[in-house]
Amino acid sequence: ALHQLHQEDWSAMSNRLYACIYIHRFLVTMARRLNPALDGAPVIIGGNHKQHGQVIELSPEALALGLCTGMATWVALHRCPQAILAKDLTGAARSLSSSVAHILDEFSPQVEQMGLACFYLELTGGGPPLAEGRTIQERLRGDLTLATSVGLAANRLVAGIAARGQEAGALTLVM
């Protein structure tokens, strides 16, 4: 079980604190924002099924029907004809991703974006790590309705593994 660390406890263990903020189902969330009729429907985010595109993201409903990322889009649509293939979301996704970066800038002067849905921050010298991570999660959920997991560690690699290896809502501190 995780427990709250006092700032002095963390400082004694490491002189650096990094956070990885990973946004779960980012493109599906984007598709549903643009088209609320997709709520509750099996959604496929992927390339053109006529041009050998691949599935890059799925809604929980599509996952429950046995589809998986990496499969050919035409195979996914054949196995699940009721699924909806979302249209190009690039512009809207970049805009939302930019909004996330703007919020994260309030927590750290050092924010690095890795793709549309993953951000690294240096939080060294801030408040208690778990409190910082929870505040970031709550802010992104409240302002942008995004489900995130947060990994906190003394280096970016471990923070990233901690964030990506968890379900949405997870907050993991690796000491």
Side-chain angles (χ1 to χ4, degrees):
L2 295 176
H3 65 281
Q4 186 70 41
L5 292 176
H6 297 287
Q7 182 61 38
E8 57 274 6
D9 294 338
W10 178 259
S11 296
M13 294 179 337
S14 171
N15 60 354
R16 293 275 182 226
L17 176 64
Y18 293 92
C20 176
I21 315 301
Y22 181 70
I23 304 168
H24 292 265
R25 293 189 263 297
F26 182 78
L27 295 173
V28 169
T29 299
M30 199 66 254
R32 287 179 169 169
R33 282 184 181 197
L34 294 172
N35 183 359
L38 297 178
D39 283 346
V43 177
I44 298 172
I45 308 293
N48 187 327
H49 65 285
K50 294 178 183 174
Q51 297 177 349
H52 307 290
Q54 282 191 320
V55 173
I56 58 172
E57 193 172 288
L58 295 163
S59 67
E61 297 82 5
L63 287 167
L65 294 170
L67 301 183
C68 59
T69 58
M71 69 178 11
T73 304
W74 72 267
V75 172
L77 289 170
H78 179 74
R79 287 187 187 173
C80 185
Q82 71 270 33
I84 300 163
L85 179 62
K87 302 289 183 202
D88 184 21
L89 307 168
T90 306
R94 283 189 181 139
S95 176
L96 180 58
S97 192
S98 181
S99 297
V100 171
H102 181 71
I103 289 172
L104 295 178
D105 283 338
E106 297 174 23
F107 292 91
S108 173
Q110 291 186 321
V111 177
E112 293 182 55
Q113 187 170 351
M114 305 302 274
L116 292 171
C118 187
F119 298 82
Y120 289 93
L121 292 76
E122 183 172 354
L123 297 176
T124 303
L130 293 173
E132 289 278 319
R134 184 64 63 206
T135 301
I136 291 169
Q137 278 184 320
E138 289 170 357
R139 181 76 189 279
L140 292 173
R141 187 177 328 114
D143 290 7
L144 302 175
T145 61
L146 292 173
T148 62
S149 58
V150 176
L152 300 159
N155 66 62
R156 290 171 28 132
L157 174 66
V158 175
I161 292 168
R164 288 174 173 255
Q166 302 296 324
E167 291 296 318
L171 174 60
T172 307
L173 173 63
V174 179
M175 303 189 308

